[in-house]
Amino acid sequence: MIRTRFAPSPTGMMHIGNLRTALYEYLIAKHYGGIFLLRIEDTDQNRYVQGAEDFIYQTLKTAGLTHDEGPDVGGNYGPYRQSERRHIYSQYAEQLVKNGGAYYCFCKKEDRDSTEDDEQLTFAKYDRKCYRLTKGEIESKIANGEEHCVRQLIPAGAATFDDVIYGSITVQNEEIEDQVLLKSDGMPTYNFANVVDDHLMGITHVLRGCEYLTSTPKYNLLYEAFGWQPPVYIHLPLILDASGRKFSKRDGSASFTNLLDMGFLPETIVNYVALLGWSPSDNREKFTLAELVGEFDERRISKSPSVFDINKLTWLSGEYWKAMDADEFYPYALPVLQDCVKAPGIDLKTVAEMVKTRISFLNDIPPLVSFIDNLPAYDKKMFEHKKMKTTLGNSLVSLTHVLEILQGMQDFSAQNIYNELLRLASTLGAKNGVVLWPVRTALSGQPTSPCGAAELCALLGKNETLRRVKMGINKLMN
Ligand code: GLU
């Protein structure tokens, strides 16, 4: 059975790159009917950021990526937390010392963790001074209570591993340092705990960013030293920003929380993030999480970097609103509409339907509907429309007739109004636009409105409609 894990270090906000890793781990597990785990890699207390674990938790929950296993916390599965498993790692470090795969090191300065950031720096390699200590020297140092760490003994030779995306990679072992496995405070290093846990938790597929490609040989040497079977590795391509630089944590749109704050729906973000490095076999771009589970194929993950394109995400956002049916959209739109439409008697559900197909964000709604409460000051030139064949003159004629017709109408429904307006056009021997356009202009005061002339009349109601038509007539007469 396929088992994957998302193994974040709680060091900050949930970056989009992390979300993509979590999502792909989840998709692979679910696609093959497997298990998805959450493991917080918090052994490096110096890098621990207060609240980061909460961000991870909230993000996964909001994104719908629930894990399937973990310690029981009040009837729910908590995450595995490495800081709570430290006794396990020391046992395994001792085991390696016993079988010759590791040794004690008493060199204080060298007792350092090899964290992601450290890897950017170049250290002089550890000179194996303590490996050359005699058995007696080691025993007496330990008996004296000297602080020590455990280092892995990197064997001679070369290590090769296969990555599903990047193919076969070989590294000369001499390039690899005898890495610290267990620090002098008894805490495992990040690399060590990661491998021990992946083994103990039966992880079959490890997915992570391609910046880990260079660390993987070290991990594999550990698997070899223990005689364990390494997992399948899937390293994910870089994510770049629009200018071709690495999409950075400093970029405002780089975290899930920021994108939510900008007004994107969680499902839109998840859908978009899935496409950052993976593509389906057809050109489809809109997927629910369940559809992604069905479609996801790890062999279709790309090797080349993907670009985080906020315009594309914005476009996708609009597609999500459009695809919702009226009842689904209404609860989202209602609070916004209640805030910006105060005129009495307005059917907000109708307004919601009008704007649904015209927005990328809920914040796009207020300017689209502001004309309902306040008819904007408009220039009478707006009545002239070449394509509609309207002039100031024929607009005045139309509106004068429209006023009379509307005044006499009992059934003020959009359909009825529409029929009457078309009848008027035909009586006047004019194109429909010659009647509809002036009404639309008089009622909305803007060159575009979220619905047609008859819908505007019905929405605003008879009194307000008549008032605005009269104002239009006055404007045209002056
Ligand atoms: N803790 C590592 C990180 O946050 C995970 C590396 C891995 O998935 O193996 O990037």
Side-chain angles (χ1 to χ4, degrees), residues 112-317:
R112 61 185 184 229
D113 192 356
S114 155
T115 60
E116 191 186 343
D117 285 345
D118 291 342
E119 277 159 22
Q120 318 277 327
L121 308 170
T122 42
F123 288 115
K125 255 173 62 184
Y126 178 60
D127 62 5
R128 287 198 171 163
K129 190 169 133 210
C130 290
Y131 178 57
R132 293 187 294 271
L133 294 174
T134 63
K135 200 161 171 258
E137 284 169 323
I138 295 170
E139 279 167 5
S140 79
K141 278 175 182 291
I142 289 179
N144 287 340
E146 263 190 53
E147 282 200 340
H148 58 277
C149 66
V150 176
R151 277 184 188 277
Q152 187 186 1
L153 179 66
I154 302 291
T160 299
F161 72 94
D162 283 315
D163 182 87
V164 171
I165 313 299
Y166 290 86
S168 173
I169 295 174
T170 301
V171 175
Q172 300 303 319
N173 289 359
E174 62 190 15
E175 288 169 20
I176 303 172
E177 186 180 35
D178 285 355
Q179 58 175 332
V180 175
L181 304 179
L182 203 67
K183 292 185 272 184
S184 54
D185 62 2
M187 269 296 197
T189 55
Y190 153 71
N191 290 329
F192 186 55
N194 182 277
V195 168
V196 170
D197 278 345
D198 279 346
H199 170 74
L200 294 180
M201 295 175 185
I203 301 303
T204 57
H205 290 63
V206 162
L207 279 87
R208 57 185 169 218
C210 59
E211 64 274 19
Y212 281 97
L213 268 176
T214 50
S215 312
T216 303
K218 283 195 292 204
Y219 298 141
N220 271 347
L221 289 172
L222 272 173
Y223 280 100
E224 263 176 44
F226 279 115
W228 295 338
Q229 167 81 23
V232 174
Y233 291 109
I234 303 179
H235 285 89
L236 305 177
L238 277 180
I239 301 178
L240 305 178
D241 65 16
S243 59
R245 278 188 293 265
K246 190 174 171 197
F247 191 43
S248 142
K249 293 186 180 143
R250 285 172 289 278
D251 191 307
S253 50
S255 91
F256 185 70
T257 319
N258 289 350
L259 291 173
L260 290 177
D261 289 347
M262 286 165 77
F264 291 105
L265 287 170
E267 51 268 45
T268 312
I269 305 171
V270 168
N271 184 158
Y272 180 66
V273 167
L275 301 172
L276 286 174
W278 172 81
S279 54
S281 50
D282 52 16
N283 289 331
R284 199 172 148 197
E285 295 187 286
K286 195 164 166 292
F287 292 92
T288 62
L289 186 59
E291 287 165 346
L292 285 170
V293 167
E295 288 291 319
F296 198 76
D297 178 348
E298 70 282 8
R299 288 162 304 186
R300 295 193 58 84
I301 297 174
S302 154
K303 203 189 281 191
S304 38
S306 52
V307 176
F308 183 92
D309 179 354
I310 193 81
N311 296 325
K312 178 96 186 275
L313 176 58
T314 304
W315 166 80
L316 191 60
S317 174

Side-chain angles (χ1 to χ4, degrees), residues 13-45:
M13 298 273 263
M14 184 88 161
H15 186 257
I16 286 303
N18 297 130
L19 177 61
R20 182 186 62 176
T21 305
L23 175 62
Y24 286 9
E25 305 242 18
Y26 174 87
L27 293 177
I28 289 188
K30 297 294 144 185
H31 181 78
Y32 295 106
I35 296 283
F36 170 65
L37 304 183
L38 173 61
R39 185 174 76 222
I40 306 290
E41 305 214 314
D42 58 351
T43 54
D44 191 347
Q45 299 299 323

Side-chain angles (χ1 to χ4, degrees), residues 80-98:
Y80 292 109
R81 211 173 270 118
Q82 288 187 326
S83 58
E84 290 164 2
R85 297 164 54 82
R86 52 192 289 181
H87 59 284
I88 298 176
Y89 312 114
S90 49
Q91 282 167 26
Y92 280 91
E94 292 302 325
Q95 182 183 324
L96 266 198
V97 172
K98 279 201 191 85

Side-chain angles (χ1 to χ4, degrees), residues 378-386 388-401 428 433-435 437-439 441-442 469 471-478:
Y378 62 98
D379 193 305
K380 71 174 168 188
K381 278 211 170 68
M382 218 184 272
F383 282 107
E384 293 174 326
H385 195 297
K386 231 179 177 171
M388 299 290 172
K389 305 223 179 308
T390 53
T391 60
L392 297 185
N394 66 13
S395 293
L396 180 57
V397 173
S398 295
L399 282 189
T400 314
H401 285 290
L428 293 175
V434 172
V435 171
W437 183 257
V439 173
T441 305
V469 171
M471 283 169 70
I473 292 173
N474 282 341
K475 202 180 271 268
L476 284 163
M477 290 203 306
N478 289 316

